[in-house]
């Protein structure tokens, strides 16, 4: 049989179910936020690291002339090298069910079961693949529209189509989803390579260092030894890249940062919300506290009673929030990590200690937040509690804030009820400040997040300034422009074409060090197929009499910080060296460090005058399907003319891939902003509850002097709207300050360059209406409670 | 101060003043009062005379600005809020005009509440047994498990009386206990009080009802915060009539 005091707790909780729900929700939001952050981070970091460890990731990739095992073994014996392996990569095309060409890179593995660099983990089917078989990276079958056990047709550069049987799937932790990169990967044997009529020599050397795999300087020093070795062996370096982290790592860091930052903010705001909710609870309980003191309860007994009530709220919150946070974390990891970043989790479990942490938050947060209101409320004397007249507490008129609105009050048009609403809002400035803090932050962050989204769109549009064409075709080798252009122009759907050259380049720094490879685009100086915004200096067309002008992008400048407008740099391009002068800087594009030179300068320096290796074309229609169709026709036309095509890409695909990258991160931000909005709405609801509860008699007096139900409701709702309005004004003002910083950091985290910032006025305006709607809805409940009381009831304690 | 062994309540020069912008407002001025054990005392006076303030002094709900309040052998005006609450729960039963029952507890649970706080009766079962006995004594046994909202005003007041008796206090203080009841119900409640007095309880009752007051063993008249003799009141009344 329960003590009567526990009966009171349980009866209170049940009788005031709405309040119980609001308070439990207020706690649950904080527990949920902590849970999502902690669980998602734990799963993400654990599974990513586990995935990487087993993958033996490469520290550097070097492109050189074709080589064999002897060279690789020689490199493997160099100091600082843990392992070195050759790979043969062949670029092909696969046509999916709709006929859209998809890039597929065939990777020939000489000893699939003995890989020591960028190891591939077989998942199912046959391993290693046999003759004329292919094992696809696990996310590729869906992207390509093929199935294990079925044949797949691949089109080689020469245009020859060969059939391979999809024998199974494997996981390559270094390859992000083809949904992001647009490129699938498949693993074949050397025997299959030979059967396709392709050379079986390696074209890529992958090395892994023995230590300090995250230290770029250390890796560079080892790579330079390797390159010296290769040069002594008569093999020039055609390109190299140093890898200190996987492609997924920046996304993971960004997501973890967002989760952690916003999770903490939400937890703190949830704490304020709980304080408000506990204040509401205690305020409602003042008469009961008086009765209990009247019949002999000591303060400590009453405090323990209400702390027990808070504990029940916490348990209710935990019961809902923990399972929900586990589910959310799992869904986030499945959608983002598993499917997009290609991190293959072995487990979605979280340690029991983390669950205890979340439970601890669910119990301690409300106890800590509720302690002050409980102590304050139980300090009420019996007489004060019995005298609680329902005319409300709080002061108005003396503070500087109150004096600020005096001019407003003098407006002749200001009606008394509105005046009453404004004054009532200001009666409890501390409570108002807490509510406003939550609502204002929610407003500011929501607008900032949407502004970041708009900035992403603007940035993507600026990316597309680099692609003012519809289709790009990369050739297997440089061909005569006079042959490529006319051939391409005959393809159906193509309106204009231009011939470029694209290759890798490295900067030869003073002191014999080299930069990582970056993309070098050689374009006609007066091209209209590319017109990026020039941030500093001039574009190639305005370079005037400068010899070998070069325009670099911001990411290359960040990687080579000693460079500036007017700097002379030495580049190694296709085994040849030449000096170039920087004349301009353009924004970073999503594909990393890059530079742009005049086609004629490039051709002269590389002895490829009159040739080009990339064809860019404009089509009659610009939708995705039309571009894909035109790309197909273009490839066919070129191949029919004996020109080997390595890869094609449509600008729509480029835009979609870039957009996907940002969508992941912005989705997290929007989730956090919505949680903040929920916290803000709950905060407003509890504040309105307290305000109405404290002024029951005042409302009765209003009713006694003629105020109708609707008039009383309007008054209460008006207070909510005033609070909503104040929070919106403050939040919008703050968003003007924080949204540029948020967008900048987001861009730096993802593309090593700030986003092209845009403030979303639509979001600000939309949020204005949303917060007013929240204010009305949050106020209606308390308003309805107020009007339900009869005048006799509220004035009974006269 | 009080006669040893016989006097239960002793007030000496008790004054209660409230600060107002117009200066101090005296709710009680130099009140001297003694109540013996077993007395049934009615406190009467006009509105604003200080009746409720007087009873609040005696029950420890309020504190005097000056003077001394002794109940039993305790100077309650010197106790802390916590001490006086615990003392009140054990020694004083309070009944108000508007019952002051907790709406979410049943009648029996309301009666059990003081027992829980005082810790006098060990088990919940024992407390319920006593609560049912007390409700039976006020004629409400069959309503024990109903909520206060499910019984009449008079029945609620009788539940409040039962609650006031939960810890067998020496004193029952009632502030306008019949003020919210019809005359018949008021009479029923008064009869309960009379029965308690016969059982040895001391009852102090504030009332506007002069007929009920006349049925008590003593009437204390308050006017303008001071105890006055009935003759003085009659003179006043006579003066007013003129």
């Amino acid at each position: 049989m329960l003590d009567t005091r526990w009966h009171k707790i349980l009866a209170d909780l049940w009788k005031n179910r709405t309040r119980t729900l609001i308070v439990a929700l207020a706690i649950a939001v904080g527990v949920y936020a902590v849970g999502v952050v902690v669980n998602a981070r734990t799963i993400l970091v654990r599974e990513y690291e586990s995935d990487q460890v087993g993958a033996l990731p490469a520290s550097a990739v070097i492109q050189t002339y074709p080589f064999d095992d002897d060279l690789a073994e020689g490199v493997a014996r160099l100091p600082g090298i843990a392992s070195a392996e050759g790979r043969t990569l062949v670029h092909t095309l696969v046509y999916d069910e709709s006929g859209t060409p998809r890039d597929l890179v065939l990777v020939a593995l000489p000893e699939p079961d003995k890989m020591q660099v960028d190891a591939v983990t077989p998942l199912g089917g046959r391993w290693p693949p046999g003759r004329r078989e292919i094992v696809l990276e696990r996310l590729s079958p869906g992207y390509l529209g093929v199935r294990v056990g079925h044949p797949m047709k691949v089109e080689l550069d020469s245009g020859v189509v060969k059939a391979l049987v999809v024998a199974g799937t494997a996981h390559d932790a270094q390859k992000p989803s083809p949904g992001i990169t647009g490129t699938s990967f498949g693993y074949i044997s050397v025997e299959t390579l030979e059967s396709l009529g392709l050379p079986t020599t390696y074209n890529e050397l992958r090395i892994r260092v023995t230590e300090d795999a995250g230290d770029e300087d250390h890796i560079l020093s080892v790579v330079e030894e390797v390159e010296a070795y290769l040069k002594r062996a008569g093999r020039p370096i055609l390109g190299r890249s140093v890898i200190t982290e996987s492609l997924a790592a920046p996304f993971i860091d960004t997501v973890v940062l967002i989760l952690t930052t916003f999770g903490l903010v939400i937890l703190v705001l949830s704490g304020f919300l709980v304080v408000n909710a506990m204040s509401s609870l205690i305020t409602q309980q003042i008469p009961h506290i008086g009765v209990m003191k009247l019949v002999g309860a000591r303060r400590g007994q009453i405090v323990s009673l209400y702390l027990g009530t808070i504990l029940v709220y916490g348990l209710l919150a935990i019961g809902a929030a923990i399972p929900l946070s586990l589910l959310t974390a799992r869904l986030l990891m499945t959608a983002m990590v598993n499917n997009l970043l290609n991190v293959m989790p072995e487990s979605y479990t979280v340690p029991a200690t983390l669950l205890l942490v979340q439970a601890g938050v669910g119990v301690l947060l409300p106890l800590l937040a509720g302690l002050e209101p409980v102590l304050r409320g139980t300090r009420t004397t019996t007489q004060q509690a019995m005298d609680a007249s329902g005319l409300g507490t709080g002061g108005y008129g003396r503070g500087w804030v109150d004096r600020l609105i005096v001019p407003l009050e003098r407006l002749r048009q200001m009606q008394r009820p509105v005046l009453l609403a404004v004054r009532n809002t200001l009666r409890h400035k501390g409570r108002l400040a807490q509510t406003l803090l939550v609502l204002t932050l929610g407003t500011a962050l929501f607008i900032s997040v949407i502004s970041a989204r708009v900035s992403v769109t603007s940035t993507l549009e600026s990316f597309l300034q680099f692609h003012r064409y519809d289709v790009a075709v990369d050739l297997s080798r440089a061909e005569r422009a006079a042959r490529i252009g006319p051939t391409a122009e005959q393809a159906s759907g193509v309106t204009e074409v231009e011939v470029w050259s694209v290759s890798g380049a490295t900067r030869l720094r003073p002191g014999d060090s080299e930069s990582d490879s970056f993309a070098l685009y050689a374009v006609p100086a007066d091209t209209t197929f590319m017109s990026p915004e020039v941030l500093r200096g001039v574009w190639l067309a305005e370079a005037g009499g400068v010899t070998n002008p070069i325009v670099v992008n911001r990411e290359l400048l960040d990687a080579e910080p000693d460079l500036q407008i007017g700097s002379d740099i030495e580049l190694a391009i296709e085994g040849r060296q030449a000096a170039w002068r920087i004349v301009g800087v353009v924004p970073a594009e999503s594909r990393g460090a890059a530079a742009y030179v005049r086609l004629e300068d490039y051709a002269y320096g590389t002895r490829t005058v009159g040739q080009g290796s990339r064809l860019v074309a404009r089509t009659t229609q610009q939708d995705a399907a039309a571009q894909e169709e035109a790309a197909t026709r273009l490839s066919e036309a070129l191949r029919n003319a004996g020109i080997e095509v390595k890869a094609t890409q449509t600008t729509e695909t480029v835009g979609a891939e870039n957009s996907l990258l940002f969508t992941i991160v912005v989705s997290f931000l929007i989730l956090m902003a919505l949680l903040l909005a929920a916290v803000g709405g709950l905060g407003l609801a509890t504040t309105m509850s307290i305000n109405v509860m404290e002024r029951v008699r005042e409302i009765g007096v209003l009713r006694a002097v003629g105020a109708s139900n609707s008039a009383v409701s309007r008054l209460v709702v008006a207070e909510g709207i005033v609070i909503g309005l104040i929070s919106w004004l403050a939040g919008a003002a703050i968003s003007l300050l924080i949204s540029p910083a948020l967008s900048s950091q987001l861009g730096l985290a993802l593309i090593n360059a700030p986003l092209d910032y845009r403030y979303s006025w639509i979001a600000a305006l939309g949020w204005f209406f949303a917060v007013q709607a929240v204010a009305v809805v949050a106020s209606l409940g308390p308003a309805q409670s107020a009007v339900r009381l009869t005048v006799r009831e509220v004035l009974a304690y006269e | 101060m009080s006669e040893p062994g016989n006097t239960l309540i002793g007030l000496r020069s008790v004054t209660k003043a409230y600060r107002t912008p117009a200066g101090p407002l005296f709710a009680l001025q130099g009140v001297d009062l003694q109540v013996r054990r077993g007395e049934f005392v009615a406190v009467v006076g006009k509105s604003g005379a200080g009746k409720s303030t007087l009873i609040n002094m005696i029950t420890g709900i309020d504190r005097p600005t000056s003077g001394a309040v002794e109940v039993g052998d305790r100077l309650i005006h010197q106790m802390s809020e916590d001490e006086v609450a615990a003392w009140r729960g054990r020694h004083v039963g309070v009944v108000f005009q508007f019952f002051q029952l907790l709406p979410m507890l049943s009648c029996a649970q309301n009666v059990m509440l003081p027992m829980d706080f005082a810790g006098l009766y060990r088990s919940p079962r024992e407390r319920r047994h006593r609560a049912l006995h007390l409700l039976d004594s006020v004629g409400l046994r069959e309503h024990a498990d109903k909520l206060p909202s499910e019984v009449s005003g008079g029945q609620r007041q009788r539940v409040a009386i039962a609650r006031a008796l939960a810890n067998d206090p020496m004193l029952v203080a009632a502030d306008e206990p019949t003020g919210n009841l019809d005359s018949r119900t008021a009479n029923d409640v008064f009869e309960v009080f009379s029965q308690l007095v016969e059982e040895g309880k001391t009852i102090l009752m504030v009332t506007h009802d002069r007929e009920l007051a006349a049925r008590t063993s003593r009437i204390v008249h308050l006017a303008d915060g001071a105890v006055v003799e009935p003759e003085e009141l009659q003179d006043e009344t006579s003066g007013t009539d003129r």
Side-chain angles (χ1 to χ4, degrees):
Chain A
M1 194 174 177
L2 277 181
D3 192 299
T4 310
R5 286 174 281 187
W6 286 103
H7 271 292
K8 181 197 180 314
I9 291 176
L10 295 174
D12 260 341
L13 289 168
W14 179 248
K15 189 182 174 205
N16 297 281
R17 291 186 287 279
T18 305
R19 184 187 71 200
T20 300
L21 185 63
I22 288 176
V23 175
L25 267 178
I27 302 167
V29 166
V31 176
Y32 172 77
V34 166
V36 168
V37 169
V38 167
N39 296 339
R41 270 186 56 181
T42 300
I43 298 171
L44 181 59
V45 172
R46 180 188 67 209
E47 297 305 318
Y48 168 70
E49 287 179 355
S50 165
D51 211 35
Q52 289 296 302
V53 163
L56 302 172
S59 306
V61 178
I62 299 170
Q63 284 90 25
T64 183
Y65 285 168
F67 61 96
D68 58 15
D69 281 326
D70 287 341
L71 187 80
E73 285 164 11
V75 169
R77 286 191 290 270
L78 293 174
I81 300 289
S83 52
E85 289 179 2
R87 292 276 196 278
T88 310
L89 271 65
V90 180
H91 292 265
T92 68
L93 290 176
V94 171
Y95 291 86
D96 65 17
E97 290 165 346
S98 65
T100 304
R102 303 277 192 193
D103 289 332
L104 170 68
V105 174
L106 302 180
V107 182
L109 305 172
E111 292 183 295
D113 292 328
K114 294 180 183 177
M115 288 182 283
Q116 293 299 308
V117 184
D118 285 346
V120 174
T121 306
L123 296 178
R126 218 151 99 91
W127 183 265
R131 189 172 186 277
R132 287 299 188 105
E133 289 182 343
I134 182 170
V135 171
L136 291 173
E137 210 291 323
R138 69 187 190 102
L139 295 180
S140 295
Y143 185 75
L144 297 172
V146 300
R147 286 185 294 167
V148 173
H150 291 253
M152 181 178 77
K153 291 185 181 172
V154 297
E155 184 181 289
L156 306 178
D157 282 354
S158 59
V160 171
V161 176
K162 299 283 187 178
L164 298 173
V165 174
V166 181
T169 58
H171 175 47
D172 186 342
Q174 306 313 309
K175 302 292 185 293
S177 166
I180 292 180
T181 62
T183 303
S184 300
F185 287 84
Y187 307 95
I188 59 175
S189 65
V190 174
E191 187 184 19
T192 299
L193 197 65
E194 206 168 21
S195 73
L196 296 176
L198 297 169
T200 57
T201 49
Y202 303 129
N203 52 22
E204 226 180 56
L205 179 67
R206 294 180 171 252
I207 62 172
R208 186 164 59 87
V209 295
T210 52
E211 58 185 4
D212 297 328
D215 184 342
E216 188 175 353
D217 290 337
H218 170 71
I219 297 172
L220 273 171
S221 68
V222 173
V223 165
E224 281 161 9
E225 292 295 323
V226 172
E227 289 177 349
Y229 176 88
L230 292 174
K231 284 173 188 169
R232 288 195 297 272
R235 288 185 164 76
I237 308 305
L238 302 178
R240 71 122 109 116
S241 56
V242 169
I243 304 163
T244 54
E245 59 184 10
S246 77
L247 285 170
F251 294 98
I252 290 170
D253 290 342
T254 304
V255 167
V256 167
L257 182 64
I258 290 171
L259 286 175
T260 306
T261 306
F262 279 81
L264 280 173
V265 167
I266 290 170
L267 181 64
V268 168
L269 293 182
S270 174
F272 281 117
L273 188 61
V274 175
V275 169
N276 247 4
M278 292 303 136
S279 292
S280 167
L281 167 72
I282 295 300
T283 302
Q284 289 179 325
Q285 293 283 307
I286 292 293
H288 296 181
I289 291 173
V291 170
M292 286 190 282
K293 284 194 172 184
L294 184 73
V295 299
R298 289 176 174 261
R299 188 183 180 200
Q301 291 173 313
I302 302 176
V303 167
S304 64
L305 197 69
Y306 287 107
L307 291 182
T309 304
I310 293 172
L311 188 63
V312 174
Y313 285 132
L315 292 174
L316 287 173
I318 289 167
I322 290 182
L324 203 58
S325 71
L326 285 170
L327 181 64
T328 303
R330 184 176 181 132
L331 286 173
L332 285 174
M333 294 302 103
T334 304
M336 188 197 80
V337 173
N338 195 356
N339 294 341
L340 291 176
L341 299 181
N342 197 18
V343 174
M344 200 172 71
E346 290 179 354
S347 163
Y348 291 103
T349 60
V350 296
T353 46
L354 286 186
L355 297 179
L356 286 174
V357 165
Q358 292 169 57
V361 168
V363 167
L364 286 176
L365 170 72
L367 282 176
L368 286 172
L371 195 59
E372 192 274 337
V374 167
L375 291 177
R376 180 166 33 87
T378 54
R379 205 181 297 136
T380 307
T381 64
T382 312
Q383 181 169 35
Q384 287 168 341
M386 307 296 281
D387 281 351
S389 58
L391 284 170
T393 55
Y396 177 79
R398 290 181 289 276
W400 63 270
V401 176
D402 308 323
R403 288 197 289 274
L404 278 179
I405 70 164
V406 165
L408 187 70
E409 297 181 347
R410 287 191 183 141
L411 287 175
R412 214 173 288 176
Q413 299 87 340
M414 178 67 74
Q415 294 180 346
R416 288 283 182 272
V418 176
L419 193 62
L420 199 53
V422 172
R423 286 183 174 176
N424 281 337
T425 303
L426 293 173
R427 278 164 80 166
H428 285 279
K429 296 177 181 62
R431 186 186 303 155
L432 176 65
Q434 282 182 7
T435 307
L436 285 179
L437 177 69
V438 174
L439 270 176
T440 300
L441 267 181
T443 300
L445 285 167
F446 184 86
I447 297 174
S448 299
V449 163
I450 303 302
S451 295
R453 182 71 186 92
V454 172
S455 301
V456 162
T457 305
S458 176
T459 304
L460 293 176
E461 284 170 1
S462 75
F463 283 172
L464 293 177
Q465 296 306 311
F466 291 89
H467 304 272
R468 299 195 69 174
Y469 49 83
D470 299 297
V471 179
V473 180
D474 287 317
L475 309 180
S476 297
R477 56 180 169 273
E479 298 278 355
R480 286 191 300 115
R483 185 171 162 231
I484 303 167
T487 305
E489 280 167 352
Q490 290 171 9
S492 164
V494 173
T495 58
E496 288 176 78
V497 300
E498 199 169 82
V499 177
W500 297 356
S501 280
V502 181
S503 68
T506 53
R507 179 198 175 195
L508 305 174
R509 302 190 189 106
D512 291 334
S513 65
E514 288 183 13
S515 71
D516 280 353
S517 285
F518 56 87
L520 185 69
Y521 295 85
V523 301
D526 57 352
T527 181
T528 60
F529 283 65
M530 176 190 289
S531 61
E533 177 191 1
V534 179
L535 301 174
R536 294 198 293 277
V538 297
W539 181 243
L540 297 168
E542 286 81 44
V546 174
T547 304
N548 285 356
I550 184 170
V551 173
V552 297
N553 77 0
R554 200 147 51 177
E555 191 161 343
L556 179 56
L557 218 54
D558 288 342
E560 304 292 314
D562 60 311
L563 299 179
Q564 56 189 344
I565 303 290
S567 297
D568 289 321
I569 57 172
E570 193 82 9
L571 296 184
I573 308 168
E574 299 290 339
R576 298 177 194 276
Q577 297 179 13
W580 303 78
R581 174 165 291 182
I582 297 176
V583 298
V585 180
V586 293
E589 204 213 349
S590 62
R591 297 178 181 218
Y596 307 87
V597 297
R598 293 188 297 215
L599 182 61
E600 58 265 32
D601 297 331
Y602 175 89
Y604 183 78
T606 57
R607 307 288 188 268
T608 56
V609 174
Q611 296 180 7
S613 60
R614 171 176 281 202
L615 182 84
V616 291
R618 290 182 178 145
T619 56
T620 52
Q621 290 173 308
Q622 281 69 51
D623 60 277
Q627 287 184 350
E628 295 290 351
E629 176 70 19
T632 306
R633 296 282 169 260
L634 207 45
S635 297
E636 283 174 1
L638 291 169
R639 288 202 179 96
N640 289 341
I643 300 168
E644 290 191 10
V645 170
K646 186 166 75 175
T648 62
Q649 188 165 59
T650 65
T651 303
E652 276 297 309
T653 305
V654 171
E657 289 164 6
N658 289 333
S659 179
L660 188 59
L661 293 174
F662 288 100
T663 297
I664 300 166
V665 171
V666 171
S667 299
F668 274 95
L669 290 173
I670 290 177
L671 172 65
M672 295 294 131
L674 287 174
L675 278 176
L676 282 164
V679 169
L682 284 171
L684 189 58
T686 53
T687 295
M688 296 312 300
S689 270
I690 302 173
N691 289 352
V692 169
M693 182 54 56
E694 283 188 329
R695 300 184 355 253
V696 165
R697 182 173 288 187
E698 174 190 315
I699 290 167
V701 170
L702 288 173
R703 299 272 300 284
V705 298
S708 63
N709 286 355
S710 59
V712 171
S713 293
R714 279 199 302 274
L715 182 67
V716 175
V717 171
E719 284 178 48
I721 289 175
V722 167
I723 294 174
L725 182 61
I726 296 173
S727 73
W728 181 82
L729 287 169
I734 293 172
S735 73
L736 287 169
L737 297 172
I738 67 174
S739 59
L742 178 64
S743 295
S744 175
Q745 289 305 309
L746 187 62
L748 287 171
L750 293 176
I751 59 167
N752 289 325
L755 296 179
D756 186 15
Y757 172 67
R758 295 283 184 271
Y759 184 80
S760 177
W761 293 103
I762 293 176
L765 198 60
W767 190 251
F768 171 80
F769 290 109
V771 84
Q772 294 308 308
V774 166
V776 168
V777 169
S779 309
L780 275 176
Q784 290 305 308
S785 300
V787 302
R788 247 195 304 255
L789 295 168
T790 65
V791 175
R792 185 194 68 80
E793 284 170 337
V794 299
L795 295 181
Y797 293 90
E798 195 53 55
Chain B
M1 164 158 186
S2 55
E3 290 180 27
N6 207 18
T7 302
L8 181 62
I9 300 170
L11 274 64
R12 187 180 68 174
S13 300
V14 168
T15 298
K16 180 68 183 181
Y18 296 101
R19 289 187 194 201
T20 71
L25 173 69
F26 290 94
L28 294 175
Q29 294 192 75
V31 170
D32 291 310
L33 176 69
Q34 290 185 2
V35 176
R36 291 170 178 265
R37 292 178 192 276
E39 277 198 282
F40 189 175
V41 178
V43 179
V44 299
K46 293 179 183 176
S47 289
K51 304 186 297 297
S52 294
T53 308
L54 177 72
I55 207 165
N56 285 347
M57 295 292 141
I58 294 168
T59 56
I61 290 172
D62 199 356
R63 292 170 190 278
T65 307
S66 64
V69 180
E70 185 177 358
V71 181
D73 56 355
R74 301 294 300 270
L75 292 169
I76 63 168
H77 65 284
Q78 293 177 346
M79 291 180 175
S80 69
E81 187 71 21
D82 241 19
E83 286 170 340
V84 81
W87 168 85
R88 182 171 51 236
R90 179 65 185 87
H91 298 287
V92 182
V94 187
V95 180
F96 282 99
Q97 179 178 358
F98 290 101
F99 327 125
Q100 303 291 10
L101 299 173
L102 290 184
M104 77 293 295
L105 297 179
S106 67
C107 295
Q109 288 169 340
N110 267 284
V111 176
M112 289 161 67
L113 196 61
M115 302 179 213
D116 292 339
F117 290 127
L120 286 179
Y121 305 96
R122 287 280 172 187
S123 69
R125 216 173 279 282
E126 197 181 334
R127 293 196 284 270
R128 179 166 171 87
H129 179 76
R130 175 167 173 77
L132 292 177
H133 168 72
L134 288 169
L135 285 171
D136 190 42
S137 70
V138 296
L140 290 178
R141 173 65 178 86
E142 67 269 29
H143 300 295
D145 294 317
K146 291 182 181 175
L147 295 175
S149 57
E150 294 171 331
V151 298
S152 70
Q155 289 169 327
R156 283 183 227 168
Q157 194 62 292
R158 281 187 276 164
V159 173
I161 294 171
R163 183 183 67 185
L165 299 171
N167 293 327
D168 194 22
M170 55 185 170
L171 168 68
V172 175
D175 190 349
E176 299 282 5
T178 61
N180 208 32
L181 306 174
D182 61 81
S183 57
R184 183 175 168 179
T185 312
N187 192 63
D188 290 342
V189 168
F190 189 84
E191 288 302 321
V192 173
F193 283 146
S194 297
Q195 182 61 35
L196 291 173
V197 170
E198 284 179 16
E199 291 169 5
K201 297 292 182 195
T202 306
I203 295 186
L204 186 70
M205 181 178 74
V206 167
T207 182
H208 270 118
D209 191 331
R210 295 200 180 251
E211 282 184 22
L212 287 179
R215 289 160 64 180
T216 62
S217 63
R218 178 156 72 107
I219 300 175
V220 172
H221 297 270
L222 275 184
D224 297 324
V227 176
V228 297
E229 294 305 318
E231 301 78 31
E232 292 176 47
L233 274 179
Q234 274 183 345
D235 287 345
E236 260 189 43
T237 306
S238 303
T240 304
D241 285 343
R242 272 190 240 116

